[in-house]
Amino acid sequence: MKNQKLLEISEWAFLTTAALGCLMTLRVAIYQFAVPYQLNYEEGNILNAAVRIIQGANPYPAIQPPVYVFNTYGPLVYYLIAPLVKHFGPVFLYPRVVVCIAGLIIAALIVVLLRKTGVSLKLSLSFGLLYLTMPVVQSWVFLLRVDL
């Protein structure tokens, strides 16, 4: 009985800590969303490819003399971002929010997968939220990139 109570307290402490870490990640991300210029080299390339799509051009320009543009990702991200660029213009805010939502969806999928394997709800939520506190995720979740 005493071990069960200790386990219960430990799970709540883990969930609380993971939730606080997740909130800190999202706080930084929300602050970074509104920065009007690219924060990473690849953000500009993705936005440029989306602009090319709404102009009716191929997102992968032909190699010509300088300036060289390499769009290294598959077309899915470019076509996902293109409607946002068409509606809101070539700004980083809304595509960055989409990337953050993708990060939240990944965290939710972690929760679902753990629940399906029989892990308790508190631990599943803890590990889903813990994903968003990982340093690599914290530094990429607010950027217009597809690395998540």
Side-chain angles (χ1 to χ4, degrees):
M1 190 66 156
K2 186 176 182 180
N3 286 341
Q4 183 66 25
K5 185 69 171 167
L6 184 60
L7 181 63
E8 182 78 17
I9 291 170
S10 299
E11 286 181 351
W12 277 112
F14 184 36
L15 178 58
T16 303
T17 304
L20 289 173
C22 177
L23 286 174
M24 293 305 294
T25 298
L26 294 176
R27 183 176 110 9
V28 170
I30 290 169
Y31 175 74
Q32 298 292 342
F33 285 154
V35 175
Y37 50 84
Q38 71 183 34
L39 296 170
N40 182 282
Y41 169 76
E42 197 58 40
E43 282 190 314
N45 289 340
I46 293 174
L47 195 61
N48 179 53
V51 169
R52 289 179 55 81
I53 289 170
I54 64 171
Q55 292 172 344
N58 187 332
Y60 304 99
I63 301 296
Q64 299 173 351
V67 171
Y68 299 111
V69 176
F70 294 102
N71 292 333
T72 57
Y73 299 125
L76 180 65
V77 69
Y78 304 131
Y79 284 98
L80 178 68
I81 299 301
L84 295 171
V85 172
K86 185 174 186 176
H87 186 70
F88 297 108
V91 296
F92 290 107
L93 174 65
Y94 302 104
R96 286 176 180 160
V97 170
V98 168
V99 171
C100 187
I101 290 170
L104 294 172
I105 290 171
I106 292 168
L109 289 173
I110 291 170
V111 173
V112 169
L113 287 172
L114 288 173
R115 286 295 292 152
K116 286 196 178 285
T117 61
V119 177
S120 73
L121 179 61
K122 284 185 286 233
L123 284 178
S124 298
L125 286 170
S126 298
F127 282 106
L129 293 173
L130 201 61
Y131 167 75
L132 295 170
T133 67
M134 294 172 48
V136 69
V137 174
Q138 286 180 328
S139 60
W140 291 91
V141 76
F142 57 84
L143 294 176
L144 176 55
R145 297 206 40 149
V146 299
D147 300 293
L148 290 179

